Amino acid sequence: MLKDIALLIQVAVAILSIVLYKKFSTSFYRVLVLILSISVLVEFWGHYIGSEQIVWTVYTIFIFILIYILFIQVLIDKLALKISKVVFCFFLVVSVIVLFDVSFFYRLLILGSINTSLLSFFYLRQLLLSDEILNYKKLLPFWISVGFLVFYLPSIPFFSMLNYMQTRGLFFVIQVLIILMNLIIGFGLIWSKEEKY
C-alpha cells in the first residue's frame, strides 16, 4: 500500500516536471526532468513487471551520475567541487566493480548517497553564504537539495545495515523517505520561479 502511494506521488511529480518544462528552460531543469522520468519508469517496471539486479545496478549508476551532473551546474565553490569529484571517482570505481561483483551493490548505494548528500550540503552552504539566500524559497535547486537530503542522508545508515537485516520489515522507511522527497520536489516545482543556471 505504501509502495503504491510512493509510486503514485513519483508519477505525479514526474508529470508535473514535464508539464512545467517551459517554466524552467535550463540545463539544470532538463537533467532534473530526466532523473524524475527515469526513476518513475524503473520504479514502475520494478513494481509491476519484476526486478532484475542488473537493471537496478545500471539505474543506480546512471541516476547518481545524473545527480552529480545536476549539482555541478549550480555549485561554484571550487573546494566543494573537488571534494565531490573525489567521492564521485570512488563511486565510479565501485560502479565498475559492481558490474562484475553484485555483492558491492550496497557500497555503491552508500557512496552515491554520500556524494548526493555532500552535493546538497555544499549547495545549501553556498546559498547561505550568498545574496540569493533572501529568495531561497523561490530557488528550485534549494528544494531539490532539501528533497535529496531528506532521502539520501537517512539512506546511508539504512543501506549500511541492509546486510544485517533479517527481514524486509524496515523497507517502509525507504518508501516514506521517497514520498517526502517527492513532495518536497513537487512543492519546489510549483513554488519556484524561473531561474537561469
Side-chain angles (χ1 to χ4, degrees):
M1 175 70 173
L2 195 58
K3 196 170 184 180
D4 291 329
I5 294 169
L7 184 59
L8 182 64
I9 291 171
Q10 279 183 286
V11 169
V13 171
I15 291 170
L16 180 64
S17 73
I18 293 167
V19 168
L20 296 176
Y21 192 79
K22 288 186 179 181
K23 178 181 177 184
F24 304 98
S25 57
T26 63
S27 56
F28 177 88
Y29 192 73
R30 286 190 285 276
V31 174
L32 178 64
V33 170
L34 190 58
I35 290 169
L36 296 174
S37 301
I38 290 171
S39 294
V40 163
L41 291 174
V42 171
E43 289 288 342
F44 187 87
W45 176 81
H47 187 70
Y48 290 107
I49 298 170
S51 59
E52 294 177 24
Q53 185 62 44
I54 188 65
V55 173
W56 288 110
T57 301
V58 171
Y59 161 72
T60 301
I61 294 167
F62 192 61
I63 286 299
F64 282 125
I65 290 171
L66 286 175
I67 289 171
Y68 180 75
I69 292 168
L70 182 79
F71 276 102
I72 62 170
Q73 295 178 57
V74 292
L75 277 175
I76 56 174
D77 183 334
K78 291 186 180 184
L79 179 61
L81 286 168
K82 282 181 184 177
I83 292 169
S84 179
K85 191 178 286 186
V86 168
V87 177
F88 186 68
C89 287
F90 281 117
F91 171 80
L92 291 177
V93 168
V94 174
S95 296
V96 172
I97 294 170
V98 167
L99 292 174
F100 298 101
D101 185 358
V102 180
S103 66
F104 280 82
F105 182 70
Y106 295 122
R107 290 178 185 93
L108 182 73
L109 288 172
I110 294 165
L111 272 174
S113 296
I114 288 170
N115 201 38
T116 301
S117 298
L118 281 173
L119 288 164
S120 298
F121 274 126
F122 289 147
Y123 174 75
L124 292 173
R125 180 183 177 276
Q126 173 182 300
L127 183 62
L128 186 63
L129 297 173
S130 73
D131 292 337
E132 290 182 319
I133 190 65
L134 300 173
N135 290 329
Y136 74 94
K137 292 180 187 174
K138 296 286 187 184
L139 297 173
L140 184 59
F142 167 77
W143 295 106
I144 302 307
S145 297
V146 171
F148 282 172
L149 273 178
V150 163
F151 179 75
Y152 288 107
L153 196 58
S155 294
I156 296 167
F158 184 85
F159 293 139
S160 298
M161 298 303 295
L162 274 177
N163 287 334
Y164 305 105
M165 290 184 193
Q166 301 290 328
T167 66
R168 296 179 66 89
L170 289 176
F171 273 74
F172 77 93
V173 172
I174 292 294
Q175 299 305 319
V176 170
L177 294 174
I178 288 171
I179 291 169
L180 289 173
M181 175 183 69
N182 279 282
L183 288 174
I184 292 167
I185 291 172
F187 181 80
L189 288 169
I190 294 167
W191 187 256
S192 298
K193 64 177 183 177
E194 181 181 354
E195 287 284 332
K196 300 297 180 197
Y197 306 107

